[in-house]
């Protein structure tokens, strides 16, 4: 993989920062079958111009692949943007930036408003990164937006592009099974993400992201949905072997991962898991938030 720098894989704010936004995850958007443009190819890194604009593209790239280290005030866990948007935001079927940027501004039903691309990124910081979003007009947000814009060079505007999101993997007719999911995890995932989902560190920095626990995505992130995680896993994991798992295996392991505890949903309603479930999770795909599994209430959260 060609990179500009070494790297790897959604609270109230102060007046200088934007308020957290309850964002619907990019991956929840369905990928159409035939009514899409041919697969888009983003520009090569060698095409970055040698001027002030190119410098900002490189700054955005650096923030994207090394988010946790370069934006410690905005990231509250062990994740980088590139953990969910693989190959530096380039890879098809991994929610690539070139498939997202041309579709904004866009109306989002979940927060009932038209969202800018900056607001979409802020949602990722609130949930996937379990952090505090930078202001929409901050230098970091500008750089990230410029990087996404550049990757979208010559992409059609407002048109679904093949490879845009995480392709939907239908739920198996017999549902999912936690026991089978644990077996898949132990055999296929633990080598990178750890036996307890803790990720993998080198010199104190995560090189493989944690999948549950205090340093993973929180209960408000789109990836907490079993259907979303199954789609990401099916088309992108294990790393270097996308598509090697069956639909059933992808759903099983996604269910196992998402029955584990993680940081609380920052939208927690009056301290109540049940009220939060009813408002934000009851109609949000397939998820376990607020349900009991083996007598244990899921969604209690893990503090920092």
């Amino acid at each position: 993989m060609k990179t500009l720098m070494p790297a790897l894989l959604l609270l109230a704010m102060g007046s200088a920062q934007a308020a957290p936004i309850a964002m619907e995850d990019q991956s929840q958007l369905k990928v159409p079958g035939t009514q899409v443009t041919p697969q888009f190819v983003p520009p090569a890194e060698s095409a970055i111009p040698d001027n002030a604009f190119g410098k900002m593209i490189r700054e955005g790239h650096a923030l994207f692949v090394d988010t946790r280290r370069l934006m410690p005030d905005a990231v509250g866990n062990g994740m980088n943007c590139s953990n969910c948007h693989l190959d530096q935001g380039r890879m098809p079927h991994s929610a690539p930036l070139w498939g997202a940027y041309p579709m904004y501004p866009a109306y989002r039903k979940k927060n009932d408003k038209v969202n800018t691309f900056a607001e979409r990124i802020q949602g990722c910081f609130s949930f996937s990164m379990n952090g505090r979003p930078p202001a929409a007009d901050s230098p970091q947000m500008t750089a990230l937006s410029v990087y996404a814009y550049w990757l979208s060079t010559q992409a059609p505007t407002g048109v679904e592009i093949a490879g845009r999101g995480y392709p939907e993997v239908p739920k198996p007719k017999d549902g999912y099974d936690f026991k089978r999911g644990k077996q898949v995890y132990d055999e296929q995932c633990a080598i990178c993400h750890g036996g307890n989902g803790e990720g993998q560190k080198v010199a104190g920095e995560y090189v493989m992201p944690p999948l549950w626990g205090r340093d993973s995505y929180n209960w408000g992130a789109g990836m907490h949905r079993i259907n979303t995680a199954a789609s990401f896993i099916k088309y992108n994991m294990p790393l270097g072997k996308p598509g090697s798992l069956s639909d059933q295996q992808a759903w099983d392991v996604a269910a196992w991962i998402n029955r584990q505890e993680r940081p609380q949903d920052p939208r927690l309603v009056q301290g109540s898991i049940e009220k939060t479930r009813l408002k934000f999770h009851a109609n949000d795909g397939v998820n376990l938030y607020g349900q009991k599994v083996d007598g244990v209430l899921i969604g209690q959260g893990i503090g920092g």
Side-chain angles (χ1 to χ4, degrees), residues 138-180:
S138 65
Q140 296 97 328
M141 189 67 73
T142 299
L144 286 167
S145 297
V146 167
Y147 178 56
Y149 167 82
W150 176 75
L151 283 179
S152 309
T153 301
Q154 296 186 357
T157 299
V159 176
E160 291 277 359
I161 305 176
R164 175 190 176 193
Y166 306 141
E168 181 180 356
V169 177
K171 185 178 181 179
K173 63 182 181 66
D174 295 326
Y176 50 78
D177 182 90
F178 296 125
K179 185 176 179 180
R180 289 196 307 257

Side-chain angles (χ1 to χ4, degrees), residues 83-133:
N83 291 148
C84 293
H85 311 274
L86 302 184
D87 193 14
Q88 310 155 77
R90 293 172 168 272
M91 186 176 291
H93 306 312
S94 184
L97 293 182
W98 48 258
Y101 186 88
M103 299 299 288
Y104 286 87
Y107 173 78
R108 307 292 290 179
K109 182 178 179 181
K110 192 168 185 177
N111 64 352
D112 194 26
K113 61 173 287 190
V114 173
N115 291 236
T116 65
F117 187 68
E119 287 175 312
R120 182 65 189 88
I121 297 175
Q122 287 175 326
C124 288
F125 277 103
S126 291
F127 303 124
S128 293
M129 319 294 273
N130 192 38
R132 296 169 59 88

